[in-house]
Amino acid sequence: MNLFDAAKLPPVLIEPIRILGHNPSEVELSLLREDLIPSPVSGNKFRKLRYNYQHFRSEGFRSMVSFGGAHSNHIDSLACLGKITDIPTVGIIRGEELASKPLNPTLAKAKESGMKLYFVSRTAYRQKEASDEIRKILLQYPGHFLIPEGGTNQLAVKGCEEILGIHTREFTHICCATGTGGTLAGLIKSSANDQQVIGFSALKGTFQTEEIVKYTDKVNFEITDQACLGGYAKMDRSLIVFMNQLKEQTNIGLDPIYTGKMMMGLMGRIRDGHFPKNSRILAVHTGGLQGIPAMNQILIKKQLPLIR
């Protein structure tokens, strides 16, 4: 099928999930399986890149450039898109120290897909628009299309709006992991006014609100960092045990950066009685399983259980 032909996508799959350690009659929890989109660019990255790709083609750009960390799902997906469509891609990666180390599975795959990787200092990465280091890289690629970190821009939000629809109207709450805030912004825009949207931040803080208000004036949402475990890509034994238990129960894999933390935080809220009785909760599985091999390498060093 055409890589981004949403008309040819399979029917939406919404799976009921038994809540670990909780009476299932009080609230209902289901999982929207965006991770099953049959494309090498899956989950929320399919949604984020769909209209960006159309814009790239219509405007005649020559290459795609973006930013990401060592375990970035966005970098992986952009590299994959470049390989499939024969578009040159460039990844500007946070952490100059990574240049002298063996590439982790995520970055190795991106390089094998043809992406040119540049490792920059964390200071330069934070100051993207003002950094001479990054400006020199961009000058090497005239006619490039610059996509922000995490893929979040107006076109990405437009794609993420399509996650919800008539098939999700019956739910009282919509839950999603959030990093840069683009997917969450799209969900908020397309949610019904009487639905509550909850973003589970993968990082410390709830700064994503600053991004979301750029795209919508709706206020039926909240963001919590209660399940971030101290920061981006930070893991502990409780998270891995939770993910493996859920996998054993449902045969649904989660990733430890986004969906694993969201589901652990969400189930914790349910057990604590956060949701009114008879709530119908829909959690969005945004994919991201490509990062598990790299995270397991870290878990081995930490002498923690591996993600199954």
Side-chain angles (χ1 to χ4, degrees):
M1 76 175 196
N2 183 296
L3 186 61
F4 290 106
D5 189 351
K8 295 182 180 178
L9 290 178
V12 174
L13 177 59
I14 296 177
E15 288 192 50
I17 301 293
R18 184 174 66 83
I19 301 161
L20 299 178
H22 187 75
N23 181 356
S25 66
E26 295 182 6
V27 300
E28 294 180 14
L29 173 61
S30 298
L31 195 63
L32 178 58
R33 300 294 305 276
E34 285 282 291
D35 59 309
L36 297 182
I37 291 176
S39 166
V41 181
S42 66
N44 65 332
K45 303 310 176 187
F46 176 95
R47 305 291 187 179
K48 284 186 169 184
L49 288 174
R50 182 185 179 205
Y51 291 110
N52 275 288
Y53 173 71
Q54 290 182 7
H55 180 70
F56 176 92
R57 286 299 192 197
S58 66
E59 297 299 317
F61 290 100
R62 294 166 57 183
S63 60
M64 286 185 172
V65 181
S66 197
F67 305 87
H71 305 285
S72 171
N73 293 326
H74 170 62
I75 288 295
D76 172 80
S77 294
L78 188 65
C80 181
L81 172 61
K83 179 179 180 179
I84 293 169
T85 58
D86 201 29
I87 294 172
T89 58
V90 177
I92 300 175
I93 309 301
R94 179 180 60 248
E96 59 188 345
E97 72 279 2
L98 298 174
S100 60
K101 298 179 180 180
L103 296 179
N104 68 32
T106 295
L107 295 179
K109 180 184 171 189
K111 183 177 180 180
E112 290 167 5
S113 295
M115 175 175 275
K116 178 65 175 178
L117 299 176
Y118 292 89
F119 299 94
V120 301
S121 69
R122 295 172 187 275
T123 299
Y125 194 90
R126 284 194 301 270
Q127 303 170 349
K128 296 179 182 67
E129 296 181 1
S131 167
D132 287 336
E133 185 179 355
I134 291 177
R135 188 177 299 114
K136 290 177 182 178
I137 295 172
L138 297 179
L139 286 173
Q140 299 178 50
Y141 299 93
H144 67 266
F145 178 42
L146 187 63
I147 301 177
E149 179 182 19
T152 292
N153 57 17
Q154 187 70 52
L155 295 168
V157 172
K158 177 182 177 181
C160 291
E161 288 181 56
E162 297 174 350
I163 295 173
L164 301 183
I166 188 80
H167 57 288
T168 60
R169 185 63 189 85
E170 65 186 277
F171 294 95
T172 59
H173 298 78
I174 308 294
C175 299
C176 181
T178 184
T180 56
T183 302
L184 188 61
L187 295 175
I188 294 165
K189 288 192 71 173
S190 58
S191 66
N193 290 334
D194 61 349
Q195 290 177 315
Q196 180 73 6
V197 183
I198 305 173
F200 287 82
S201 179
L203 305 89
K204 289 187 69 173
T206 58
F207 58 90
Q208 295 92 344
T209 299
E210 298 175 8
E211 188 71 17
I212 288 165
V213 298
K214 297 176 184 177
Y215 304 108
T216 179
D217 57 4
K218 296 178 72 171
V219 295
N220 61 327
F221 73 94
E222 67 166 300
I223 301 174
T224 174
D225 66 352
Q226 71 177 77
C228 76
L229 298 181
Y232 182 76
K234 292 187 179 297
M235 303 174 287
D236 65 12
R237 181 178 298 273
S238 67
L239 174 64
I240 307 308
V241 169
F242 168 82
M243 290 170 53
N244 286 340
Q245 285 179 342
L246 195 69
K247 175 74 175 292
E248 182 177 352
Q249 172 193 308
T250 64
N251 200 34
I252 297 173
L254 302 173
D255 84 282
I257 297 179
Y258 293 103
T259 56
K261 290 182 177 181
M262 172 194 67
M263 290 298 288
M264 186 171 72
L266 175 55
M267 287 196 180
R269 278 192 162 201
I270 293 171
R271 289 192 295 269
D272 291 343
H274 178 88
F275 296 94
K277 189 175 181 179
N278 299 322
S279 293
R280 303 196 68 188
I281 305 166
L282 180 67
V284 181
H285 192 321
T286 50
L289 303 184
Q290 65 80 25
I292 289 177
M295 301 313 290
N296 272 340
Q297 289 183 348
I298 295 175
L299 292 173
I300 290 173
K301 294 178 182 178
K302 292 179 175 290
Q303 297 184 324
L304 290 173
L306 301 185
I307 302 165
R308 295 198 290 268

